[in-house]
Amino acid sequence: MKKALTAGLLSAFIAPGSGHFYLKHKRSALVFFSLAVISLMLLLMQIYQVAQVIALEIQNGTLPLDVGVISAEITQQTQTTMANANELLYGFLLCWLVALVDSIRLGLKQDKQDALTTNTAGY
């Protein structure tokens, strides 16, 4: 299997930066993986904050134990509190896409270098 395909599959299905790690570009792998983890952590923190607000409202008795009312409150809290959650999600997806494309680019470059060294060694 070519390095470009392997690196692309790793980046696409494992984690951003895993293709770079496979290609021995460890700094790039660390950057892409760190960006992805940070954006996911920030996104999960916002989701956790919404859940905490709703749980406190239920505990205080301001929100009744009715599934329909709780569902409506979740929808309202999500729309108001998580305005920049889409930005975090898009940032995460952009990081993943850039890591995927870059790992394929680097893999193609290494495949070309490997082909040149194989051809020159054979002559």
Side-chain angles (χ1 to χ4, degrees):
M1 187 181 297
K2 298 279 187 179
K3 288 182 179 181
L5 179 62
T6 304
L9 288 173
L10 286 170
S11 284
F13 295 114
I14 303 298
S18 58
H20 289 84
F21 190 77
Y22 168 75
L23 295 171
K24 297 183 176 43
H25 289 265
K26 294 181 179 163
R27 286 186 186 165
S28 299
L30 183 62
V31 168
F32 283 120
F33 187 73
S34 297
L35 287 173
V37 167
I38 289 169
S39 63
L40 276 179
M41 283 177 49
L42 291 172
L43 183 63
L44 289 174
M45 283 174 44
Q46 285 192 342
I47 293 169
Y48 180 73
Q49 287 174 352
V50 169
Q52 283 295 107
V53 167
I54 293 171
L56 285 173
E57 288 179 1
I58 292 171
Q59 284 179 343
N60 293 337
T62 57
L63 194 63
L65 287 175
D66 180 17
V67 175
V69 175
I70 293 172
S71 177
E73 184 67 22
I74 290 172
T75 303
Q76 181 195 8
Q77 288 286 337
T78 303
Q79 290 174 351
T80 58
T81 309
M82 297 182 61
N84 63 345
N86 285 339
E87 295 170 3
L88 291 171
L89 182 60
Y90 294 145
F92 172 74
L93 293 175
L94 180 66
C95 174
W96 203 312
L97 181 64
V98 170
L100 171 64
V101 171
D102 192 51
S103 66
I104 292 171
R105 180 188 64 83
L106 291 172
L108 288 171
K109 186 176 177 183
Q110 284 188 10
D111 286 340
K112 186 184 277 187
Q113 288 175 349
D114 290 348
L116 287 175
T117 57
T118 303
N119 287 340
T120 57
Y123 288 111

